Every structure is written in C-alpha cells, then in structure tokens.
Amino acid sequence: MVMIAHLDMDAFFAAIEERDNPRWKGMPIVVGSDPQEGRGRGVVSTANYAARKYGIRSALPISTAWRQAQEALARGGPETIFLPVNGRRYGDVSHRIMEIVGAHAAAVEQASVDEAYLDLSHLKDWRAAEAACRRLKREILRAERLTCSIGLAANKLVAKIASDFQKPDGLTVVRPREAIRFLAPLDVRRMPGIGPKAEQALKRGGHNTIGDLQQLTEADLWGMFGEWGLELYEMVRGHGESALSGEWTPKSIGEQETFDEDTLDSRFIGERLAAMCASVAAQVRRGGFTGFRRVVLTVRFADFRTVTRSHMLPMLEHTAGTLKTEALRLLLPFFDRRENPRRSALRLVGVRVEELEEKPRRA
DNA sequence: TCTGGGGTCCTAGGACCC
DNA sequence: TCTGGGGTCCTAGGACCC
C-alpha cells in the first residue's frame, strides 16, 4: 500500500514574521513588494490570516492591498504591517523544517520553500501514517512555533488537494476508496493545473465542481483541453503519480525587473539589463553549470503586452560579457520602429539562459 | 483591482532533411 | 507535373505553479 503525505506550511512568510516580532502578534501582516503609500507596482507574496479577513491574499496587487488596509483602518480596524520578502531568512527556516520532515519519512520530495511530499508507505496502515503526520505537526510546532497543514492519500495529487482542504493547522486523510467522493464537491480550481483560464472556460460550460468533471467523457475533455484533457480525466478520479522525484536541477536561470516607472531611456534600461546579465552569469557558475546555449530576452510594454526574443548560440558560453552582448542585441530593436512602431515605454525587462550544461560530476 | 519574480511545461509553425 | 510523410531544430507565446 502506498501512502503519500503533502505538507504545506500555513501562510509561511507571514507566519515567520509574526513569530519573530511578538509586538505584531494577531495583527494583519502582508509580506510582499514595497507598497509605496499605494503607488507600488508589485504584488502580495503572503498575507497572514488576520490580513486575509480584509480580502488581502497572495498575488493581489500591493496597491490594492494598501487601499484595503487603509479602508479597514478607517473603519476602526487594526493597522496592517507591510513587510518586504526576506528570502534568506525564510530559506533558513525552510531548511530546518525539511530536516525535521526528513526524520519522519522514508523519502521526501521538497516541492517548494514551504511544501514537501513524504512517502509513509513503510508504516503499513493508514492509522499509523495519520499518527506519524500528527507527530510531525507537533514536532514542527515545538521546534519552530509554526503550524502546517497535511494531506494524506495514496498519491501526490490527492495528498496535495487534501492538505489544502482544512487550513490552517489541518490534517486531512483521504483513503483510496474515498477519493472520488472527496473530490466531487470541490471547486474545479482546487485541481492542480486548472488556473484562471481553464476555470473560466469550464464554468462558462457549467462545470463548477470536480464532480461535474467526473461526469465528462475522455472525448469531452480531449475536446476542451487536448492531450492534457486525457490526463485531467484521470486526475478528477483521484489517479496520480506516487513516486517522489529526487534532486532538482534548474533547466533555466534568469532575472527580470519591473521598473518604478515605464521608460524608454535606453541608457537606463541597458544598464539594468547588464546588471541582470552579470548576476545571471554568476548564478550559472555557482549552480555548477559550465555554460548555456540559449539566451531569452523578455520585454513588457506599458500596456502589459509581453514579448520574448531568443537566440540559440553556436556554442556553449558562460561569461557575463557574452551574455550582455547577446541580450543587448536582442533588446536593441525595441528602441526603434522595427519592434516598437508606437515607441511604447517599457515596464519590464528580463534575461534568462536555457540549455544549461552541467559540470561533469567527479566521483 | 492593474497586475512580482522565480520557474516548468506544452503547443504550433516554419525550416530543413531524409 | 502536382504532390507523401516523418523527424528534428529553432523560435514565440501562453498557461500554470509557488
């Protein structure tokens, strides 16, 4: 019998900030870009549960979050604390938590900074696995004073959906024979892979829950989503992968930057792009790669239209200088009528390298 | 609402080759 | 003369995830 748990930390970044700053305990906390008094251009990374009461959640424009916080304050609510993302600190906490997780499972797959899959099959029965999940939650709470939610099921897909079912501080067990009925009432959006676009398309067709999708045939789903529809046919029945994947190596490395103001100042944009290239080249080296063969430039215009231009290099390259030359060559046409006939200002520029070649490993 | 930054994966068309 | 079927590489765009 295969038993997989998915562990998901609750409001991870915001929970760490709240833990480390007791004077903010219970107050709304928003971790994300600088709100700049409501003029900031970023988004919310994580909001704690007190902030979610005001409709502030991940991916919300930070300017909107700011406005909602001001309105809450005007109604006599508490002040909202806005904080920058402190990735280094969250990474340290994540590392310690993953060590605890590793001690509780036969195998672990870290899925992101605050998520992991555990293989608990060695425990043989569901009650033992559930008890292990409870112990793990207690251990993380004791060691880090942070809560998490866990889903336990026969594969990664159902475990992930289950971990999201009762948040925060939840534990949801879905045994194989319960999977179809567990999934049926859930909103289609809970299914990994169904994002805003697919959700819209499905709901326009009157398919609101996963149960509605269970009624559709393979042909129906193929008609809507092509090849992926056949996968979805299996997924809505609770079928999915249970093998945990091992070490992850990046397939691309890049950086992008949204400017404070839209601009067509070629000198400024060129300097920013050059800085990104230097940083990306350094990351390629630190990541243990000998080089890259493709350079991709991303440009976002003021109206949010986003385009990419890429170039396959004749041979493997690794220096910041080459990367800069290639990136600037791809950028240049956006300053003249060829690529930018209306002389639109740029909102964002980014550079990414692909086709990375790993350094041969020494035994 | 006015939309970050880090990524992955898939599709599709055209060029080119057999 | 009017016409095949693949396969692979390159490029661009888009959906999605955390």
Side-chain angles (χ1 to χ4, degrees):
Chain A
M1 180 177 20
V2 179
M3 294 182 291
I4 304 292
H6 179 257
L7 178 148
D8 194 349
M9 298 302 297
D10 300 320
F12 189 50
F13 299 173
I16 293 172
E17 298 293 354
E18 189 169 358
R19 175 193 76 175
D20 294 347
N21 298 278
R23 65 183 185 284
W24 296 334
K25 186 148 184 59
M27 292 170 73
I29 296 175
V30 177
V31 179
S33 328
D34 185 350
Q36 297 181 33
E37 307 275 319
R39 296 183 314 276
R41 314 185 82 175
V43 298
V44 174
S45 180
T46 314
N48 69 355
Y49 285 82
R52 291 183 197 188
K53 281 197 195 131
Y54 305 113
I56 299 176
R57 53 197 66 247
S58 297
L60 190 74
I62 201 78
S63 53
T64 308
W66 177 266
R67 192 166 38 69
Q68 284 168 201
Q70 295 297 109
E71 286 167 10
L73 194 60
R75 290 195 306 269
E79 187 194 347
T80 299
I81 310 298
F82 284 85
L83 299 168
V85 178
N86 192 335
R88 173 79 71 81
R89 249 174 65 225
Y90 311 151
D92 290 344
V93 178
S94 168
H95 189 74
R96 293 200 298 268
I97 289 171
M98 293 303 162
E99 301 231 299
I100 299 172
V101 172
H104 282 74
V108 174
E109 174 187 333
Q110 184 170 351
S112 76
V113 69
D114 70 337
E115 274 178 62
Y117 293 97
L118 294 72
D119 192 337
L120 300 177
S121 306
H122 63 287
L123 295 174
K124 303 288 190 235
D125 77 87
W126 291 93
R127 290 175 59 182
E130 182 175 341
C133 291
R134 290 197 193 284
R135 280 199 302 277
L136 176 56
K137 281 167 61 71
R138 263 202 309 276
E139 179 69 14
I140 291 172
L141 183 62
R142 189 190 63 74
E144 291 291 336
R145 287 183 294 127
L146 294 170
T147 64
C148 63
S149 296
I150 298 184
L152 176 63
N155 60 54
K156 293 202 273 189
L157 174 74
V158 179
K160 178 161 175 69
I161 296 172
S163 70
D164 191 51
F165 187 66
Q166 293 177 277
K167 261 187 159 296
D169 202 16
L171 173 58
T172 303
V173 184
V174 181
R175 299 181 196 210
R177 55 171 47 180
E178 304 161 350
I180 290 204
R181 262 177 297 169
F182 167 73
L183 295 173
L186 302 182
D187 191 286
V188 292
R189 193 55 211 278
R190 300 273 68 84
M191 182 60 62
I194 294 184
K197 298 287 177 180
E199 177 189 15
Q200 248 199 350
L202 287 168
K203 291 191 173 167
R204 263 200 309 270
H207 313 297
N208 297 294
T209 65
I210 296 178
D212 294 336
L213 302 186
Q214 289 168 351
Q215 303 304 313
L216 300 176
T217 64
E218 284 175 289
D220 292 334
L221 288 167
W222 193 86
M224 283 187 253
F225 298 108
E227 211 62 39
W228 185 71
L230 303 183
E231 233 175 285
L232 187 58
Y233 181 86
E234 297 299 327
M235 288 163 67
V236 299
R237 284 160 178 74
H239 301 162
E241 187 66 52
S242 55
L244 305 197
S245 42
E247 195 73 350
W248 175 85
T249 48
K251 295 184 170 57
S252 69
I253 294 173
E255 281 186 16
Q256 57 180 55
E257 181 180 333
T258 294
F259 307 128
D260 286 341
E261 289 171 5
D262 304 335
T263 175
L264 251 186
D265 180 342
S266 58
R267 175 130 159 226
F268 169 77
I269 296 172
E271 279 170 6
R272 296 310 306 145
L273 186 60
M276 288 182 239
C277 288
S279 169
V280 167
Q283 290 180 63
V284 168
R285 197 175 339 106
R286 281 203 308 271
F289 295 97
T290 46
F292 49 85
R293 272 208 60 203
R294 173 184 290 275
V295 177
V296 186
L297 176 86
T298 303
V299 164
R300 177 125 76 212
F301 294 101
D303 65 3
F304 219 74
R305 190 167 57 90
T306 307
V307 299
T308 61
R309 293 293 178 264
S310 70
H311 178 53
M312 183 68 84
L313 305 168
M315 47 190 267
L316 197 69
E317 300 284 354
H318 70 278
T319 65
T322 308
L323 181 53
K324 247 179 260 185
T325 306
E326 291 296 331
L328 288 171
R329 186 158 34 218
L330 293 167
L331 175 68
L332 211 55
F334 291 100
F335 293 109
D336 69 30
R337 260 173 282 280
R338 277 177 289 166
E339 291 275 16
N340 194 351
R342 286 155 51 201
R343 319 242 73 213
S344 309
L346 307 189
R347 177 190 178 92
L348 166 151
V349 162
V351 64
R352 173 163 297 276
V353 293
E354 302 179 355
E355 312 290 323
L356 302 172
E357 190 167 292
E358 270 183 273
K359 218 167 255 175
R361 295 231 194 166
R362 305 268 13 232

